[in-house]
Amino acid sequence: MNIGTQIQKIRRKNNISQGQLAKDCGITQTYLSLIEHNKRDPNISLLKVITAKLNIPLSLLLLMSLDKEDIPEDKSEFFSEIAPEISPIIISLLLK
C-alpha cells in the first residue's frame, strides 16, 4: 500500500501545505514527511485524523492506496489495467 503517497497527492490537490496538515493533525511536519514518503506507517487513529482534515473517507484513502502487491496474483493484470484510470476519476469526483 502507498498510503503516504496518496496522502501527499490529496494534500497537494487541496493546496494544503505539509506544515499546515501536520499542525492540524497534531504531529510534526517531519513525521508527516516520513509518512508521505512511506517511511513510517501511521496507526489507524492518526489515519482517521488525517482523512478528516483532508475531508475524505478513510475507506477512500485505503482504496486509492492499493498497489499491485496488494492484489491477488490472478487479478493483478486486471488491476494493472484499471488502476491508472480509476484513481484520477475518484480524486476528481470526491475532492475539491
Side-chain angles (χ1 to χ4, degrees):
M1 293 196 103
N2 292 307
I3 290 174
T5 303
Q6 292 305 317
I7 290 170
Q8 183 181 63
K9 284 181 185 179
I10 296 164
R11 176 182 60 74
R12 287 180 173 173
K13 176 92 171 150
N14 287 322
N15 295 315
I16 301 170
S17 72
Q18 193 178 63
Q20 186 60 52
L21 181 59
K23 181 180 175 185
D24 291 347
C25 293
I27 59 175
T28 66
Q29 184 174 349
T30 301
Y31 186 53
L32 181 57
S33 176
L34 291 170
I35 292 169
E36 288 187 350
H37 289 93
N38 295 307
K39 296 185 187 284
R40 293 286 185 270
D41 293 322
N43 63 37
I44 195 73
S45 296
L46 180 55
L47 283 175
K48 287 178 181 180
V49 171
I50 291 171
T51 55
K53 298 301 179 184
L54 293 173
N55 199 29
I56 64 163
L58 175 58
S59 56
L60 176 62
L61 175 65
L62 296 175
L63 175 65
M64 292 170 56
S65 300
L66 289 174
D67 56 25
K68 193 173 181 180
E69 289 76 35
D70 299 315
I71 304 301
E73 192 174 319
D74 64 326
K75 308 262 192 289
S76 65
E77 185 177 335
F78 178 69
F79 176 80
S80 294
E81 291 175 15
I82 65 165
E85 304 296 326
I86 291 174
S87 186
I89 293 169
I90 292 172
I91 290 173
S92 68
L93 290 174
L94 298 174
L95 301 180
K96 295 180 188 176

